[in-house]
Amino acid sequence: MSSVDIGIDLGTANVIITIGGKGVVLHEPSVVAYDKKKRQVIAVGEEAYRMIGRTPEYIIAAHPLREGVVSDNYMTEIMVREFIRKVSGNMLVKPRIALCVPSFVTDVERRALVETAMVAGARKVYLIDEPIAALLGAGIDITKPNGVMVVDIGGGTTDIAVASFNGIVSSASVKVGGNKMDAAIIKHLNSKYKLIIGEKTAEAAKKAIANVYDPDGTAVMAVKGRGILKGLPVSVDINDLDIQEALSSCVDEIIAAIRSVLEQTPPELVGDIHTNGVVLTGGGALLGGLDRLITSFVGAPCIAADKPSECVARGVGLAFRHTGELLDGFERISLYKYK
């Protein structure tokens, strides 16, 4: 295969890869399984995700990224290299790779991502802020002097931004995402029902019955785990009120961040947002009732983008077409050339 442009949404929960002309070609959990006895990686992606909570002590299945940034360089490099190999095979020329990053990562964290991509086989590496990528991937035209707001909820962080005329006008990032929500559900059920569950069970409950706007207790789900008192298998029926109670603090942080961004935004653009509404992207956009909750708070329509979990990846893939046009989002792209 000849040289290709590869866009990577290197998320805390999932890795999504696009290739120019083909769209999304890979969507797998960002999980690596490592054998401590053999000191080697034994699985990545979907195969490793199935091992979470089901392996002996000497095998670790974990996310090598935390809150949107690299926490384990070695594991991340292996994961990215394996995913690139899956989608591109043997390339004659090394590809250009574009990676998205949360808005407020440090220069050191940005450099870690660049080095990860270079080790994985990139010729050049571009970094693009997640809100810009999310808007591009959602099909929003940000070239006009017209304010649009995006709330991108990933696995580790939530990025909120107002964009206009090719640039970010105001933004905020909070370390609240799908992983923190799952942890909050685990903690709540532990406290209320004396039940210990795993993160996969918490995620399943969140997807199945969550309603953070107007829960009424009618959505019910049986969750299975270990009882604290006797240490034996237990099944407990929980409802949407339980999930709403568990997620209240996480949702409050997101709403507070939206308020902060609106307070920083010029009045004219706030008026545009009232007309244009708010775009929800990221896997967290599918959280039950969140769109209606944001609508009630902002006073403007809030709509989840089409296939919201893939918006950032699609936007990163489109980034190669716009490097000469966009200002703020691409002004801050760091291009590293290695000799």
Short mmCIF file of all heavy atoms in Angstrom, two decimals, residues 236-282:
data_model
loop_
_atom_site.label_atom_id
_atom_site.label_comp_id
_atom_site.label_asym_id
_atom_site.label_seq_id
_atom_site.Cartn_x
_atom_site.Cartn_y
_atom_site.Cartn_z
N VAL A 236 -29.31 -7.86 42.19
CA VAL A 236 -30.12 -6.76 42.73
C VAL A 236 -30.80 -6.03 41.59
O VAL A 236 -30.19 -5.74 40.56
CB VAL A 236 -29.25 -5.77 43.54
CG1 VAL A 236 -30.07 -4.57 43.98
CG2 VAL A 236 -28.62 -6.46 44.74
N ASP A 237 -32.09 -5.71 41.77
CA ASP A 237 -32.81 -4.89 40.79
C ASP A 237 -32.58 -3.42 41.09
O ASP A 237 -32.87 -2.94 42.19
CB ASP A 237 -34.30 -5.19 40.84
CG ASP A 237 -34.65 -6.55 40.26
OD1 ASP A 237 -33.85 -7.08 39.46
OD2 ASP A 237 -35.71 -7.10 40.62
N ILE A 238 -32.07 -2.69 40.10
CA ILE A 238 -31.88 -1.24 40.24
C ILE A 238 -32.72 -0.55 39.17
O ILE A 238 -33.16 -1.19 38.20
CB ILE A 238 -30.39 -0.83 40.09
CG1 ILE A 238 -29.89 -1.14 38.66
CG2 ILE A 238 -29.54 -1.53 41.13
CD1 ILE A 238 -28.51 -0.57 38.38
N ASN A 239 -32.95 0.75 39.36
CA ASN A 239 -33.76 1.48 38.38
C ASN A 239 -33.09 2.78 37.97
O ASN A 239 -31.98 3.10 38.42
CB ASN A 239 -35.17 1.73 38.94
CG ASN A 239 -35.14 2.51 40.25
OD1 ASN A 239 -34.38 3.46 40.41
ND2 ASN A 239 -35.97 2.09 41.21
N ASP A 240 -33.78 3.53 37.11
CA ASP A 240 -33.20 4.76 36.57
C ASP A 240 -32.99 5.83 37.65
O ASP A 240 -32.13 6.70 37.51
CB ASP A 240 -34.06 5.32 35.44
CG ASP A 240 -35.53 5.41 35.77
OD1 ASP A 240 -35.91 5.09 36.92
OD2 ASP A 240 -36.32 5.80 34.89
N LEU A 241 -33.74 5.76 38.73
CA LEU A 241 -33.52 6.70 39.83
C LEU A 241 -32.17 6.45 40.50
O LEU A 241 -31.47 7.40 40.90
CB LEU A 241 -34.63 6.58 40.87
CG LEU A 241 -36.02 7.08 40.44
CD1 LEU A 241 -37.08 6.63 41.44
CD2 LEU A 241 -36.01 8.59 40.30
N ASP A 242 -31.78 5.18 40.61
CA ASP A 242 -30.47 4.85 41.16
C ASP A 242 -29.35 5.42 40.29
O ASP A 242 -28.38 6.00 40.80
CB ASP A 242 -30.30 3.33 41.27
CG ASP A 242 -31.18 2.71 42.33
OD1 ASP A 242 -31.22 3.26 43.45
OD2 ASP A 242 -31.82 1.69 42.06
N ILE A 243 -29.48 5.26 38.99
CA ILE A 243 -28.44 5.75 38.07
C ILE A 243 -28.38 7.27 38.10
O ILE A 243 -27.30 7.87 38.11
CB ILE A 243 -28.70 5.25 36.64
CG1 ILE A 243 -28.76 3.72 36.60
CG2 ILE A 243 -27.62 5.76 35.70
CD1 ILE A 243 -27.49 3.04 37.04
N GLN A 244 -29.55 7.92 38.14
CA GLN A 244 -29.57 9.39 38.20
C GLN A 244 -28.90 9.90 39.47
O GLN A 244 -28.15 10.88 39.44
CB GLN A 244 -31.01 9.88 38.12
CG GLN A 244 -31.12 11.37 37.87
CD GLN A 244 -31.55 12.15 39.11
OE1 GLN A 244 -31.72 11.57 40.18
NE2 GLN A 244 -31.70 13.45 38.95
N GLU A 245 -29.17 9.23 40.57
CA GLU A 245 -28.55 9.62 41.84
C GLU A 245 -27.04 9.42 41.79
O GLU A 245 -26.27 10.25 42.27
CB GLU A 245 -29.15 8.80 42.98
CG GLU A 245 -28.72 9.25 44.38
CD GLU A 245 -29.39 8.46 45.48
OE1 GLU A 245 -30.32 7.69 45.19
OE2 GLU A 245 -28.97 8.61 46.65
N ALA A 246 -26.61 8.32 41.19
CA ALA A 246 -25.18 8.03 41.09
C ALA A 246 -24.45 9.04 40.22
O ALA A 246 -23.31 9.43 40.50
CB ALA A 246 -24.97 6.62 40.55
N LEU A 247 -25.10 9.49 39.15
CA LEU A 247 -24.44 10.35 38.17
C LEU A 247 -24.66 11.83 38.41
O LEU A 247 -24.15 12.66 37.64
CB LEU A 247 -24.92 9.99 36.76
CG LEU A 247 -24.65 8.56 36.27
CD1 LEU A 247 -25.13 8.40 34.84
CD2 LEU A 247 -23.17 8.23 36.36
N SER A 248 -25.37 12.19 39.45
CA SER A 248 -25.73 13.60 39.65
C SER A 248 -24.51 14.51 39.75
O SER A 248 -24.48 15.59 39.14
CB SER A 248 -26.60 13.75 40.91
OG SER A 248 -25.90 13.30 42.07
N SER A 249 -23.47 14.10 40.47
CA SER A 249 -22.30 14.96 40.62
C SER A 249 -21.54 15.10 39.30
O SER A 249 -21.03 16.18 38.97
CB SER A 249 -21.37 14.41 41.71
OG SER A 249 -20.89 13.12 41.37
N CYS A 250 -21.46 14.01 38.51
CA CYS A 250 -20.79 14.07 37.22
C CYS A 250 -21.52 15.02 36.27
O CYS A 250 -20.90 15.86 35.59
CB CYS A 250 -20.71 12.68 36.59
SG CYS A 250 -19.71 11.48 37.49
N VAL A 251 -22.84 14.90 36.23
CA VAL A 251 -23.65 15.75 35.35
C VAL A 251 -23.56 17.20 35.80
O VAL A 251 -23.48 18.12 34.97
CB VAL A 251 -25.11 15.26 35.33
CG1 VAL A 251 -25.99 16.23 34.56
CG2 VAL A 251 -25.19 13.87 34.70
N ASP A 252 -23.55 17.43 37.10
CA ASP A 252 -23.45 18.80 37.62
C ASP A 252 -22.14 19.46 37.18
O ASP A 252 -22.10 20.66 36.87
CB ASP A 252 -23.53 18.80 39.15
CG ASP A 252 -24.94 18.53 39.66
OD1 ASP A 252 -25.88 18.60 38.84
OD2 ASP A 252 -25.09 18.24 40.86
N GLU A 253 -21.04 18.68 37.15
CA GLU A 253 -19.75 19.23 36.70
C GLU A 253 -19.82 19.64 35.23
O GLU A 253 -19.26 20.67 34.84
CB GLU A 253 -18.64 18.20 36.90
CG GLU A 253 -18.14 18.08 38.32
CD GLU A 253 -16.85 17.26 38.41
OE1 GLU A 253 -15.84 17.70 37.83
OE2 GLU A 253 -16.87 16.19 39.04
N ILE A 254 -20.48 18.83 34.41
CA ILE A 254 -20.60 19.16 32.98
C ILE A 254 -21.44 20.42 32.80
O ILE A 254 -21.09 21.32 32.03
CB ILE A 254 -21.21 17.97 32.21
CG1 ILE A 254 -20.24 16.78 32.23
CG2 ILE A 254 -21.53 18.37 30.78
CD1 ILE A 254 -20.80 15.51 31.64
N ILE A 255 -22.56 20.51 33.52
CA ILE A 255 -23.42 21.69 33.42
C ILE A 255 -22.68 22.93 33.89
O ILE A 255 -22.78 24.01 33.27
CB ILE A 255 -24.71 21.49 34.25
CG1 ILE A 255 -25.57 20.36 33.67
CG2 ILE A 255 -25.50 22.79 34.33
CD1 ILE A 255 -26.08 20.62 32.28
N ALA A 256 -21.90 22.82 34.97
CA ALA A 256 -21.12 23.95 35.48
C ALA A 256 -20.10 24.41 34.44
O ALA A 256 -19.85 25.62 34.28
CB ALA A 256 -20.42 23.58 36.78
N ALA A 257 -19.49 23.46 33.72
CA ALA A 257 -18.50 23.82 32.69
C ALA A 257 -19.18 24.52 31.52
O ALA A 257 -18.61 25.46 30.94
CB ALA A 257 -17.78 22.56 32.22
N ILE A 258 -20.38 24.06 31.15
CA ILE A 258 -21.13 24.73 30.09
C ILE A 258 -21.43 26.18 30.50
O ILE A 258 -21.29 27.12 29.71
CB ILE A 258 -22.44 23.98 29.79
CG1 ILE A 258 -22.12 22.61 29.18
CG2 ILE A 258 -23.34 24.80 28.86
CD1 ILE A 258 -23.35 21.73 28.98
N ARG A 259 -21.84 26.36 31.77
CA ARG A 259 -22.11 27.71 32.28
C ARG A 259 -20.86 28.58 32.19
O ARG A 259 -20.91 29.74 31.76
CB ARG A 259 -22.59 27.64 33.72
CG ARG A 259 -22.92 29.01 34.33
CD ARG A 259 -23.10 28.92 35.84
NE ARG A 259 -24.22 28.05 36.19
CZ ARG A 259 -25.48 28.46 36.25
NH1 ARG A 259 -25.78 29.73 35.97
NH2 ARG A 259 -26.42 27.63 36.59
N SER A 260 -19.71 28.01 32.57
CA SER A 260 -18.45 28.75 32.53
C SER A 260 -18.10 29.21 31.11
O SER A 260 -17.67 30.35 30.90
CB SER A 260 -17.32 27.87 33.09
OG SER A 260 -16.06 28.49 32.92
N VAL A 261 -18.29 28.32 30.13
CA VAL A 261 -17.98 28.67 28.74
C VAL A 261 -18.93 29.76 28.24
O VAL A 261 -18.50 30.72 27.58
CB VAL A 261 -18.06 27.42 27.84
CG1 VAL A 261 -17.98 27.81 26.37
CG2 VAL A 261 -16.95 26.44 28.19
N LEU A 262 -20.21 29.66 28.57
CA LEU A 262 -21.17 30.68 28.14
C LEU A 262 -20.85 32.04 28.76
O LEU A 262 -21.02 33.08 28.12
CB LEU A 262 -22.59 30.25 28.51
CG LEU A 262 -23.17 29.08 27.70
CD1 LEU A 262 -24.50 28.63 28.28
CD2 LEU A 262 -23.33 29.47 26.23
N GLU A 263 -20.38 32.04 30.01
CA GLU A 263 -20.02 33.29 30.66
C GLU A 263 -18.82 33.96 30.00
O GLU A 263 -18.66 35.18 30.06
CB GLU A 263 -19.73 33.04 32.14
CG GLU A 263 -20.97 32.72 32.97
CD GLU A 263 -20.64 32.32 34.40
OE1 GLU A 263 -19.44 32.10 34.69
OE2 GLU A 263 -21.58 32.23 35.22
N GLN A 264 -17.96 33.17 29.35
CA GLN A 264 -16.78 33.71 28.67
C GLN A 264 -17.08 34.12 27.23
O GLN A 264 -16.24 34.73 26.57
CB GLN A 264 -15.66 32.66 28.63
CG GLN A 264 -15.19 32.15 29.98
CD GLN A 264 -14.30 30.93 29.81
OE1 GLN A 264 -13.52 30.82 28.86
NE2 GLN A 264 -14.40 29.99 30.74
N THR A 265 -18.26 33.78 26.73
CA THR A 265 -18.59 33.97 25.32
C THR A 265 -19.24 35.33 25.10
O THR A 265 -20.12 35.74 25.87
CB THR A 265 -19.55 32.85 24.86
OG1 THR A 265 -18.95 31.58 25.11
CG2 THR A 265 -19.86 32.98 23.38
N PRO A 266 -18.84 36.07 24.05
CA PRO A 266 -19.47 37.35 23.73
C PRO A 266 -20.98 37.21 23.54
O PRO A 266 -21.45 36.18 23.02
CB PRO A 266 -18.79 37.76 22.41
CG PRO A 266 -17.48 37.06 22.43
CD PRO A 266 -17.72 35.76 23.13
N PRO A 267 -21.74 38.21 23.95
CA PRO A 267 -23.21 38.14 23.90
C PRO A 267 -23.76 37.81 22.51
O PRO A 267 -24.76 37.10 22.39
CB PRO A 267 -23.65 39.53 24.35
CG PRO A 267 -22.51 40.04 25.15
CD PRO A 267 -21.27 39.47 24.55
N GLU A 268 -23.13 38.34 21.45
CA GLU A 268 -23.62 38.08 20.11
C GLU A 268 -23.57 36.59 19.78
O GLU A 268 -24.48 36.04 19.16
CB GLU A 268 -22.79 38.86 19.07
CG GLU A 268 -23.00 40.36 19.09
CD GLU A 268 -22.19 41.04 20.20
OE1 GLU A 268 -21.45 40.33 20.91
OE2 GLU A 268 -22.30 42.27 20.35
N LEU A 269 -22.49 35.95 20.20
CA LEU A 269 -22.35 34.52 19.92
C LEU A 269 -23.29 33.69 20.79
O LEU A 269 -23.76 32.63 20.37
CB LEU A 269 -20.90 34.08 20.13
CG LEU A 269 -19.88 34.69 19.17
CD1 LEU A 269 -18.49 34.10 19.42
CD2 LEU A 269 -20.29 34.46 17.71
N VAL A 270 -23.56 34.17 22.01
CA VAL A 270 -24.53 33.48 22.86
C VAL A 270 -25.89 33.50 22.19
O VAL A 270 -26.64 32.51 22.22
CB VAL A 270 -24.60 34.12 24.26
CG1 VAL A 270 -25.73 33.50 25.08
CG2 VAL A 270 -23.27 33.95 25.00
N GLY A 271 -26.21 34.62 21.54
CA GLY A 271 -27.46 34.70 20.79
C GLY A 271 -27.49 33.70 19.65
O GLY A 271 -28.53 33.10 19.37
N ASP A 272 -26.34 33.52 18.98
CA ASP A 272 -26.27 32.52 17.90
C ASP A 272 -26.53 31.12 18.45
O ASP A 272 -27.21 30.30 17.82
CB ASP A 272 -24.88 32.55 17.25
CG ASP A 272 -24.64 33.82 16.45
OD1 ASP A 272 -25.63 34.47 16.08
OD2 ASP A 272 -23.47 34.14 16.21
N ILE A 273 -25.97 30.84 19.63
CA ILE A 273 -26.13 29.52 20.24
C ILE A 273 -27.60 29.27 20.57
O ILE A 273 -28.10 28.16 20.43
CB ILE A 273 -25.25 29.38 21.49
CG1 ILE A 273 -23.78 29.39 21.09
CG2 ILE A 273 -25.57 28.11 22.26
CD1 ILE A 273 -22.83 29.56 22.25
N HIS A 274 -28.28 30.33 20.99
CA HIS A 274 -29.71 30.21 21.30
C HIS A 274 -30.48 29.76 20.05
O HIS A 274 -31.47 29.02 20.13
CB HIS A 274 -30.27 31.53 21.80
CG HIS A 274 -31.68 31.44 22.33
ND1 HIS A 274 -32.78 31.57 21.50
CD2 HIS A 274 -32.17 31.20 23.57
CE1 HIS A 274 -33.88 31.44 22.21
NE2 HIS A 274 -33.55 31.21 23.48
N THR A 275 -30.00 30.22 18.87
CA THR A 275 -30.65 29.86 17.61
C THR A 275 -30.16 28.51 17.09
O THR A 275 -30.94 27.65 16.69
CB THR A 275 -30.38 30.93 16.54
OG1 THR A 275 -30.88 32.19 17.00
CG2 THR A 275 -31.05 30.56 15.23
N ASN A 276 -28.83 28.33 17.11
CA ASN A 276 -28.22 27.14 16.51
C ASN A 276 -28.28 25.91 17.41
O ASN A 276 -28.22 24.78 16.93
CB ASN A 276 -26.75 27.42 16.16
CG ASN A 276 -26.58 28.54 15.17
OD1 ASN A 276 -27.46 28.76 14.33
ND2 ASN A 276 -25.48 29.27 15.26
N GLY A 277 -28.35 26.14 18.71
CA GLY A 277 -28.39 25.03 19.65
C GLY A 277 -27.02 24.52 20.03
O GLY A 277 -25.99 25.12 19.70
N VAL A 278 -27.01 23.41 20.74
CA VAL A 278 -25.79 22.79 21.23
C VAL A 278 -25.66 21.42 20.59
O VAL A 278 -26.62 20.66 20.51
CB VAL A 278 -25.82 22.64 22.77
CG1 VAL A 278 -24.56 21.96 23.29
CG2 VAL A 278 -26.00 24.02 23.42
N VAL A 279 -24.45 21.10 20.13
CA VAL A 279 -24.19 19.81 19.51
C VAL A 279 -23.49 18.91 20.53
O VAL A 279 -22.47 19.28 21.11
CB VAL A 279 -23.30 19.96 18.26
CG1 VAL A 279 -23.03 18.58 17.64
CG2 VAL A 279 -23.95 20.88 17.24
N LEU A 280 -24.06 17.72 20.75
CA LEU A 280 -23.47 16.74 21.65
C LEU A 280 -22.71 15.70 20.83
O LEU A 280 -23.25 15.14 19.88
CB LEU A 280 -24.56 16.02 22.45
CG LEU A 280 -25.01 16.62 23.78
CD1 LEU A 280 -26.13 15.76 24.35
CD2 LEU A 280 -23.88 16.71 24.76
N THR A 281 -21.44 15.46 21.20
CA THR A 281 -20.65 14.44 20.53
C THR A 281 -19.97 13.56 21.58
O THR A 281 -20.01 13.85 22.77
CB THR A 281 -19.59 15.06 19.60
OG1 THR A 281 -18.67 15.84 20.39
CG2 THR A 281 -20.22 15.96 18.54
N GLY A 282 -19.32 12.51 21.11
CA GLY A 282 -18.67 11.57 22.02
C GLY A 282 -19.65 10.52 22.51
O GLY A 282 -20.87 10.67 22.41
#
